[in-house]
Structures are given as structure tokens and as C-alpha cells.
Amino acid sequence: MLRRPRRNRQSTAIRGLVRETVLATDHLVYPLFLIDGKNIRQEVPSLPGNFRLSIDEALIEIESCLSLGLTNFILFPAIAEEHKDKMATHSYHPNNFYLQAARQIKQRFPEACLISDVAMDPYSIDGHDGVVRAGKIQNNETLPILARMAVAQAEAGFDILGPSDMMDGRVGYMREALDQAGFTDTGIMSYTAKYASAFYGPFRDALDSAPRASEDIPKDKKTYQMDPANQREALIEAELDTQEGADFLMVKPALNYLDVIHLLKTNFELPIAAYHVSGECAMLTAACRNGWLVYEEAMPETLTSIHRAGADVIITYFAKDYARLKMSR
Ligand code: PBG
């Protein structure tokens, strides 16, 4: 036997020499759910270990993440029922707590990178990412709302905006509005290939943002989010987002879509982000809590696999645990 691949697996040191993928904490983004109020730290039942945090608690959380070298955060607002309406007007109200949170966090921790969520659903009484009228999601009517939200978020100090709505043309529309308002340095991380997935459940629990189906309101997001059966269609979305000025292309979810991550990585020059979504994290957490898998092994293997497939950036609810693990090893 001339070739013996096992020779390169003999010791920790040799395995280190030939390791192809090393995931640094730098590449991770930690999602935080924010809620209005003070001293609030409510665990999300379907996503154990994750909390709805009031601003004061979020500041404490961010400080502890920064001390672990975790510097990137994506923020999502849990909006009180009385602030929800059909047109998501609260999303750009200058005093809403989400925008205030960004201001306060950037003031205290300018080194933290804050990524926003641009979508109507947390603020929408219908639980949809677009304006619902006559039983349909109205694409073009949604764009000016997203643009207003985007400019308000840029004003509040978000570094990167994350349109997660999947309306056609929204990246270009937002880019133009941002540039006109003078926010040429605010980036856009576009949810390029976002699938109509069954794995967003815990997130919708956290924000109470699930579609509120009725006779006149669609029960799912399939007319705007992509069909999980499609791969080539992601190339069309990536092409458009690139032309429209996106700074990152995102694939979401991550694990069931590693082929799509790889496809975009090999066909586009922009950095690729992957969103390891709530349902994917919840499954692993549940198995570990049952003693069926070992978290300290299964979790880093999972994140490394997403990186190996081609994701430069990984948004994951495990970011803090990974950062902690990295520090201790
Ligand atoms: C909605 C949005 C969703 C997620 C991020 N932004 C849910 C949805 O599309 O219904 C899901 C993230 C997760 O499950 O972790 N704009």
C-alpha cells in the first residue's frame, strides 16, 4: 500500500496540520430577541437557552459576549400587540425600543457590529413580511415601508441591515433610499435564498410573529419565500441581489441547504452568510438534553460543517457557546 490516508490522522498535531476548515468566532453572529421593558429575561420555551431581553439585559449579555471575542449580533424585536397594525408603522417610529436599543448598544459598545432585521412580520397584525390586501401579499406596496424601516435603522446606528422579507426588488430599493439619506456606509446582508421552511417555529414563538391565517390572510409564506425543492432558483435571487447592491448573500436555513450554500459560494464573489435557524438549533438542543447526543461535540461539528460547505458568516443561536468552547480549548 503506497497510499495510507491514515498516516495524516495519527496525532492531534498532524490532524491540526492538515485540517482544512477552522471556524473562528469572528465568523459568527449571535441572534438576540429584544422586548420593551426593564429587567426582563424571558426564556423562549421552544428555544432553551435563548431569551427575550429588555435593553438593560441585552447590554449585559453583549458585554459578556464581547469578553468572549463574539462581536457580531443580529437583533430581533418582540413587539407588543397594541403596536401591531396592517402597515407595520411602528417599525420606523423613531422612539420604538428596537431603534433605541441599537442606539444604546452602539453608544456603550461601538466595537460591536449590529445587524438589523428588515421585515414587516414582527410589527404586522397579519404576521406577514409584506402588506396583505385582498388575500395577497402586495410586493410593490411593501417596498416603501421596508425603505423607511431601513433608513430608520441606519439612523439608529445599525452597521448592516438584513432584509428577511423576500419581496422582489427590495435590496435595490433600500440601497437607493439609504444612499439618498446619506447612509452610503450602511451595509446590506440580503436574505437571498430564504426558503419557506418548517424550521422557523421557535423564532415565531419568540416574537409571536407567525402568519395569522384567516379567510383573507394567507396561512403560509410560500408566495414569497422559496420552495425547498429548488436549487437553481437561488442563482436567480443571488444574481439580482448582487446587481441591486447587496454586500452579503444569505442562505436560510443552513443545514438542509448546504448544497445551496456551496452553489452560491462557487458562483458569486460576495461573502456568503448562512442562517442556522431556530428549528435546527432546537432539534440539536433537544437531543442533547435527552442525553442522545453530546453538545460539546455535536454543536461544533455542526457549525464547522456549515463553514466547510462555504459559509463565510454563520448566524447561530450557538454562537456564544461556541465562543466559550473556543476560549477554553
Ligand atoms: C422573518 C424572519 C424569520 C426568521 C428570521 N426573520 C421567520 C419567518 O420568515 O417566518 C427565522 C429565523 C429563525 O427561525 O431562527 N422576517
Side-chain angles (χ1 to χ4, degrees):
M1 255 191 275
L2 203 55
R3 305 295 310 267
R4 285 183 180 269
R6 286 188 56 202
R7 279 199 288 258
N8 284 352
R9 296 178 201 139
Q10 279 184 76
S11 67
T12 306
I14 295 176
R15 287 192 294 274
L17 277 179
V18 301
R19 185 159 300 126
E20 300 174 34
T21 308
V22 180
L23 176 61
T25 301
D26 300 22
H27 296 281
L28 300 182
V29 178
Y30 194 30
L32 295 177
F33 301 118
L34 302 180
I35 191 163
D36 202 4
K38 241 187 151 348
N39 291 319
I40 304 175
R41 193 177 167 83
Q42 282 171 357
E43 191 162 33
V44 181
S46 51
L47 199 56
N50 290 270
F51 301 81
R52 295 186 199 92
L53 304 170
S54 52
I55 300 178
D56 51 326
E57 290 287 333
L59 288 167
I60 296 170
E61 184 61 42
I62 287 171
E63 186 163 31
S64 92
C65 290
L66 290 173
S67 73
L68 295 168
L70 179 57
T71 55
N72 309 303
F73 305 90
I74 187 162
L75 309 181
F76 296 98
I79 302 292
E81 198 61 28
E82 71 257 29
H83 291 309
K84 298 190 183 193
D85 60 24
K86 292 227 33 120
M87 304 301 269
T89 55
H90 196 63
S91 63
Y92 47 81
H93 192 290
N95 287 334
N96 84 35
F97 76 91
Y98 182 68
L99 300 173
Q100 281 179 20
R103 277 188 207 103
Q104 289 187 31
I105 296 165
K106 284 302 283 187
Q107 197 174 26
R108 266 281 284 285
F109 307 112
E111 71 274 34
C113 167
L114 299 187
I115 306 174
S116 75
D117 184 50
V118 183
M120 289 176 62
D121 57 334
Y123 315 89
S124 155
I125 197 83
D126 301 326
H128 273 289
D129 298 25
V131 175
V132 183
R133 209 167 26 74
K136 287 199 167 145
I137 311 297
Q138 306 291 330
N139 194 91
N140 294 6
E141 267 181 63
T142 303
L143 299 180
I145 298 171
L146 298 175
R148 264 183 99 163
M149 209 184 299
V151 171
Q153 292 172 354
E155 263 163 8
F158 278 100
D159 300 276
I160 300 172
L161 309 184
S164 64
D165 56 287
M166 289 301 278
M167 294 302 114
D168 290 336
R170 91 275 207 208
V171 171
Y173 201 95
M174 277 174 55
R175 185 71 269 163
E176 200 176 319
L178 289 167
D179 289 353
Q180 271 174 14
F183 295 108
T184 50
D185 289 341
T186 306
I188 298 179
M189 182 182 285
S190 178
Y191 289 58
T192 297
K194 175 171 178 177
Y195 288 88
S197 168
F199 291 85
Y200 305 149
F203 176 96
R204 293 176 187 174
D205 291 343
L207 301 191
D208 185 24
S209 62
R212 302 189 178 170
S214 72
E215 213 171 298
D216 224 27
I217 300 166
K219 66 178 187 313
D220 57 45
K221 299 189 174 185
K222 290 180 184 169
T223 66
Y224 45 107
Q225 298 180 347
M226 284 176 58
D227 184 337
N230 293 356
Q231 188 194 59
R232 293 171 61 240
E233 193 181 339
L235 292 170
I236 300 176
E237 289 285 1
E239 185 67 48
L240 288 169
D241 283 354
T242 303
Q243 283 169 11
E244 291 176 32
D247 301 285
F248 297 80
L249 304 176
M250 191 199 295
V251 175
K252 176 183 174 185
L255 288 179
N256 290 343
Y257 299 84
L258 294 177
D259 58 322
V260 182
I261 294 172
H262 185 70
L263 184 73
L264 294 197
K265 177 72 162 197
T266 50
N267 283 283
F268 291 86
E269 292 77 34
L270 285 169
I272 306 299
Y275 199 139
H276 183 215
V277 300
S278 58
E280 299 180 298
C281 293
M283 284 197 298
L284 195 132
T285 301
C288 294
R289 292 199 171 195
N290 264 309
W292 297 339
L293 292 175
V294 177
Y295 186 67
E296 289 69 24
E297 293 169 7
M299 185 270 285
E301 178 181 331
T302 300
L303 300 190
T304 301
S305 303
I306 299 170
H307 196 40
R308 189 198 63 231
D312 303 289
V313 177
I314 303 174
I315 303 171
T316 176
Y317 300 91
F318 297 153
K320 191 178 183 188
D321 286 344
Y322 186 85
R324 214 183 270 122
L325 206 65
K326 265 277 190 202
M327 250 195 183
S328 69
R329 279 184 182 167

PDB file of all heavy atoms in Angstrom, residues 88-103:
ATOM      1  N   ALA A  88     -47.368  47.950   9.502  1.00  0.00           N
ATOM      2  CA  ALA A  88     -46.119  47.891  10.282  1.00  0.00           C
ATOM      3  C   ALA A  88     -45.543  49.278  10.570  1.00  0.00           C
ATOM      4  O   ALA A  88     -44.325  49.480  10.523  1.00  0.00           O
ATOM      5  CB  ALA A  88     -45.082  47.001   9.578  1.00  0.00           C
ATOM      6  N   THR A  89     -46.412  50.221  10.873  1.00  0.00           N
ATOM      7  CA  THR A  89     -45.943  51.605  11.046  1.00  0.00           C
ATOM      8  C   THR A  89     -44.986  51.758  12.229  1.00  0.00           C
ATOM      9  O   THR A  89     -44.127  52.639  12.229  1.00  0.00           O
ATOM     10  CB  THR A  89     -47.135  52.573  11.250  1.00  0.00           C
ATOM     11  OG1 THR A  89     -47.920  52.101  12.349  1.00  0.00           O
ATOM     12  CG2 THR A  89     -48.005  52.651  10.009  1.00  0.00           C
ATOM     13  N   HIS A  90     -45.151  50.893  13.234  1.00  0.00           N
ATOM     14  CA  HIS A  90     -44.277  51.021  14.405  1.00  0.00           C
ATOM     15  C   HIS A  90     -42.807  50.740  14.052  1.00  0.00           C
ATOM     16  O   HIS A  90     -41.907  51.167  14.771  1.00  0.00           O
ATOM     17  CB  HIS A  90     -44.742  50.065  15.507  1.00  0.00           C
ATOM     18  CG  HIS A  90     -44.158  50.380  16.854  1.00  0.00           C
ATOM     19  ND1 HIS A  90     -44.407  51.555  17.529  1.00  0.00           N
ATOM     20  CD2 HIS A  90     -43.300  49.676  17.643  1.00  0.00           C
ATOM     21  CE1 HIS A  90     -43.743  51.562  18.675  1.00  0.00           C
ATOM     22  NE2 HIS A  90     -43.055  50.444  18.766  1.00  0.00           N
ATOM     23  N   SER A  91     -42.588  50.059  12.940  1.00  0.00           N
ATOM     24  CA  SER A  91     -41.222  49.642  12.593  1.00  0.00           C
ATOM     25  C   SER A  91     -40.289  50.826  12.361  1.00  0.00           C
ATOM     26  O   SER A  91     -39.083  50.696  12.505  1.00  0.00           O
ATOM     27  CB  SER A  91     -41.238  48.755  11.348  1.00  0.00           C
ATOM     28  OG  SER A  91     -41.716  49.484  10.232  1.00  0.00           O
ATOM     29  N   TYR A  92     -40.837  51.974  11.963  1.00  0.00           N
ATOM     30  CA  TYR A  92     -39.951  53.129  11.726  1.00  0.00           C
ATOM     31  C   TYR A  92     -40.255  54.288  12.667  1.00  0.00           C
ATOM     32  O   TYR A  92     -39.782  55.399  12.466  1.00  0.00           O
ATOM     33  CB  TYR A  92     -40.007  53.578  10.254  1.00  0.00           C
ATOM     34  CG  TYR A  92     -41.402  53.698   9.683  1.00  0.00           C
ATOM     35  CD1 TYR A  92     -42.183  54.815   9.916  1.00  0.00           C
ATOM     36  CD2 TYR A  92     -41.924  52.670   8.889  1.00  0.00           C
ATOM     37  CE1 TYR A  92     -43.463  54.913   9.394  1.00  0.00           C
ATOM     38  CE2 TYR A  92     -43.206  52.752   8.354  1.00  0.00           C
ATOM     39  CZ  TYR A  92     -43.968  53.876   8.604  1.00  0.00           C
ATOM     40  OH  TYR A  92     -45.240  53.974   8.095  1.00  0.00           O
ATOM     41  N   HIS A  93     -41.057  54.024  13.702  1.00  0.00           N
ATOM     42  CA  HIS A  93     -41.297  55.053  14.710  1.00  0.00           C
ATOM     43  C   HIS A  93     -39.969  55.323  15.423  1.00  0.00           C
ATOM     44  O   HIS A  93     -39.380  54.413  16.007  1.00  0.00           O
ATOM     45  CB  HIS A  93     -42.352  54.564  15.709  1.00  0.00           C
ATOM     46  CG  HIS A  93     -42.851  55.650  16.599  1.00  0.00           C
ATOM     47  ND1 HIS A  93     -42.064  56.209  17.576  1.00  0.00           N
ATOM     48  CD2 HIS A  93     -44.035  56.303  16.655  1.00  0.00           C
ATOM     49  CE1 HIS A  93     -42.743  57.153  18.191  1.00  0.00           C
ATOM     50  NE2 HIS A  93     -43.934  57.226  17.654  1.00  0.00           N
ATOM     51  N   PRO A  94     -39.484  56.589  15.395  1.00  0.00           N
ATOM     52  CA  PRO A  94     -38.116  56.839  15.873  1.00  0.00           C
ATOM     53  C   PRO A  94     -37.891  56.470  17.336  1.00  0.00           C
ATOM     54  O   PRO A  94     -36.754  56.240  17.748  1.00  0.00           O
ATOM     55  CB  PRO A  94     -37.923  58.339  15.645  1.00  0.00           C
ATOM     56  CG  PRO A  94     -39.271  58.904  15.340  1.00  0.00           C
ATOM     57  CD  PRO A  94     -40.135  57.795  14.864  1.00  0.00           C
ATOM     58  N   ASN A  95     -38.977  56.401  18.123  1.00  0.00           N
ATOM     59  CA  ASN A  95     -38.778  56.064  19.535  1.00  0.00           C
ATOM     60  C   ASN A  95     -39.074  54.612  19.861  1.00  0.00           C
ATOM     61  O   ASN A  95     -39.166  54.250  21.022  1.00  0.00           O
ATOM     62  CB  ASN A  95     -39.643  56.958  20.418  1.00  0.00           C
ATOM     63  CG  ASN A  95     -39.085  58.366  20.457  1.00  0.00           C
ATOM     64  OD1 ASN A  95     -37.882  58.550  20.264  1.00  0.00           O
ATOM     65  ND2 ASN A  95     -39.944  59.347  20.664  1.00  0.00           N
ATOM     66  N   ASN A  96     -39.245  53.770  18.861  1.00  0.00           N
ATOM     67  CA  ASN A  96     -39.537  52.382  19.229  1.00  0.00           C
ATOM     68  C   ASN A  96     -38.320  51.751  19.914  1.00  0.00           C
ATOM     69  O   ASN A  96     -37.180  52.140  19.676  1.00  0.00           O
ATOM     70  CB  ASN A  96     -40.100  51.579  18.044  1.00  0.00           C
ATOM     71  CG  ASN A  96     -39.053  51.006  17.122  1.00  0.00           C
ATOM     72  OD1 ASN A  96     -37.975  50.600  17.538  1.00  0.00           O
ATOM     73  ND2 ASN A  96     -39.373  50.969  15.846  1.00  0.00           N
ATOM     74  N   PHE A  97     -38.574  50.817  20.797  1.00  0.00           N
ATOM     75  CA  PHE A  97     -37.478  50.342  21.665  1.00  0.00           C
ATOM     76  C   PHE A  97     -36.388  49.624  20.886  1.00  0.00           C
ATOM     77  O   PHE A  97     -35.231  49.582  21.304  1.00  0.00           O
ATOM     78  CB  PHE A  97     -38.030  49.431  22.782  1.00  0.00           C
ATOM     79  CG  PHE A  97     -38.395  48.061  22.308  1.00  0.00           C
ATOM     80  CD1 PHE A  97     -37.466  47.029  22.349  1.00  0.00           C
ATOM     81  CD2 PHE A  97     -39.654  47.800  21.793  1.00  0.00           C
ATOM     82  CE1 PHE A  97     -37.790  45.768  21.884  1.00  0.00           C
ATOM     83  CE2 PHE A  97     -39.989  46.534  21.323  1.00  0.00           C
ATOM     84  CZ  PHE A  97     -39.052  45.524  21.371  1.00  0.00           C
ATOM     85  N   TYR A  98     -36.733  49.077  19.740  1.00  0.00           N
ATOM     86  CA  TYR A  98     -35.740  48.374  18.923  1.00  0.00           C
ATOM     87  C   TYR A  98     -34.668  49.352  18.427  1.00  0.00           C
ATOM     88  O   TYR A  98     -33.467  49.076  18.524  1.00  0.00           O
ATOM     89  CB  TYR A  98     -36.470  47.712  17.750  1.00  0.00           C
ATOM     90  CG  TYR A  98     -35.611  46.900  16.820  1.00  0.00           C
ATOM     91  CD1 TYR A  98     -35.017  45.707  17.240  1.00  0.00           C
ATOM     92  CD2 TYR A  98     -35.414  47.294  15.491  1.00  0.00           C
ATOM     93  CE1 TYR A  98     -34.257  44.940  16.375  1.00  0.00           C
ATOM     94  CE2 TYR A  98     -34.654  46.529  14.618  1.00  0.00           C
ATOM     95  CZ  TYR A  98     -34.076  45.357  15.067  1.00  0.00           C
ATOM     96  OH  TYR A  98     -33.330  44.591  14.199  1.00  0.00           O
ATOM     97  N   LEU A  99     -35.121  50.510  17.946  1.00  0.00           N
ATOM     98  CA  LEU A  99     -34.177  51.517  17.472  1.00  0.00           C
ATOM     99  C   LEU A  99     -33.414  52.127  18.650  1.00  0.00           C
ATOM    100  O   LEU A  99     -32.210  52.382  18.563  1.00  0.00           O
ATOM    101  CB  LEU A  99     -34.921  52.603  16.678  1.00  0.00           C
ATOM    102  CG  LEU A  99     -35.665  52.073  15.438  1.00  0.00           C
ATOM    103  CD1 LEU A  99     -36.512  53.170  14.800  1.00  0.00           C
ATOM    104  CD2 LEU A  99     -34.680  51.505  14.415  1.00  0.00           C
ATOM    105  N   GLN A 100     -34.128  52.318  19.754  1.00  0.00           N
ATOM    106  CA  GLN A 100     -33.443  52.819  20.959  1.00  0.00           C
ATOM    107  C   GLN A 100     -32.367  51.854  21.425  1.00  0.00           C
ATOM    108  O   GLN A 100     -31.283  52.258  21.854  1.00  0.00           O
ATOM    109  CB  GLN A 100     -34.446  53.002  22.100  1.00  0.00           C
ATOM    110  CG  GLN A 100     -35.271  54.265  21.994  1.00  0.00           C
ATOM    111  CD  GLN A 100     -36.253  54.360  23.151  1.00  0.00           C
ATOM    112  OE1 GLN A 100     -36.061  53.717  24.184  1.00  0.00           O
ATOM    113  NE2 GLN A 100     -37.296  55.144  22.986  1.00  0.00           N
ATOM    114  N   ALA A 101     -32.678  50.583  21.356  1.00  0.00           N
ATOM    115  CA  ALA A 101     -31.708  49.560  21.787  1.00  0.00           C
ATOM    116  C   ALA A 101     -30.439  49.677  20.954  1.00  0.00           C
ATOM    117  O   ALA A 101     -29.327  49.673  21.490  1.00  0.00           O
ATOM    118  CB  ALA A 101     -32.315  48.167  21.652  1.00  0.00           C
ATOM    119  N   ALA A 102     -30.607  49.796  19.632  1.00  0.00           N
ATOM    120  CA  ALA A 102     -29.427  49.906  18.762  1.00  0.00           C
ATOM    121  C   ALA A 102     -28.599  51.130  19.148  1.00  0.00           C
ATOM    122  O   ALA A 102     -27.371  51.047  19.263  1.00  0.00           O
ATOM    123  CB  ALA A 102     -29.857  49.988  17.305  1.00  0.00           C
ATOM    124  N   ARG A 103     -29.286  52.253  19.379  1.00  0.00           N
ATOM    125  CA  ARG A 103     -28.566  53.479  19.778  1.00  0.00           C
ATOM    126  C   ARG A 103     -27.769  53.256  21.053  1.00  0.00           C
ATOM    127  O   ARG A 103     -26.596  53.599  21.147  1.00  0.00           O
ATOM    128  CB  ARG A 103     -29.557  54.630  20.010  1.00  0.00           C
ATOM    129  CG  ARG A 103     -29.946  55.333  18.750  1.00  0.00           C
ATOM    130  CD  ARG A 103     -30.784  56.585  19.021  1.00  0.00           C
ATOM    131  NE  ARG A 103     -31.606  56.803  17.842  1.00  0.00           N
ATOM    132  CZ  ARG A 103     -32.890  56.513  17.759  1.00  0.00           C
ATOM    133  NH1 ARG A 103     -33.549  56.047  18.811  1.00  0.00           N
ATOM    134  NH2 ARG A 103     -33.542  56.685  16.629  1.00  0.00           N
TER     135      ARG A 103
END
